[in-house]
Amino acid sequence: FPKVAVWKTLTRITVRVVLKYRHCDGNLCIKVTDDVVCLLYRTDQAQDVKKIEKFHSQLMRLMVARESRSAAMETD
């Protein structure tokens, strides 16, 4: 799985994450890009799939929390 130092190369605040899973061959691909740097990681190892799934769920939770804070600030 990519190291933290690699993730720091993403320079912008806006980052897109794409997660693709192919059940027929058990491959999982995660792509993270800020339109300048593109990181791509593919695996068919169950242990890596679980780590990526956990990372993706944590990322989604953080994004929802950020959106709810922004909405709360707009209503105040």
Side-chain angles (χ1 to χ4, degrees):
F1 203 64
K3 302 292 183 198
V4 174
V6 174
W7 292 105
K8 289 182 181 180
T9 61
L10 295 171
T11 56
R12 295 184 177 175
I13 301 223
T14 304
V15 176
R16 291 189 314 274
V17 178
V18 178
L19 191 66
K20 293 182 184 179
Y21 179 71
R22 290 178 36 126
H23 183 70
C24 62
D25 55 5
N27 282 334
L28 180 74
C29 176
I30 186 168
K31 179 180 177 182
V32 181
T33 184
D34 66 355
D35 292 331
V36 176
V37 177
C38 180
L39 302 175
L40 182 65
Y41 184 76
R42 292 184 184 161
T43 187
D44 62 351
Q45 301 297 311
Q47 184 178 6
D48 290 342
V49 170
K50 289 179 183 178
K51 287 179 184 178
I52 291 173
E53 186 178 51
K54 185 176 179 180
F55 166 74
H56 191 255
S57 66
Q58 288 174 344
L59 184 61
M60 292 299 113
R61 271 188 249 126
L62 288 171
M63 288 179 9
V64 168
R66 182 178 298 156
E67 287 177 3
S68 63
R69 280 190 308 229
S70 295
M73 290 174 69
E74 288 176 4
T75 57
D76 288 341

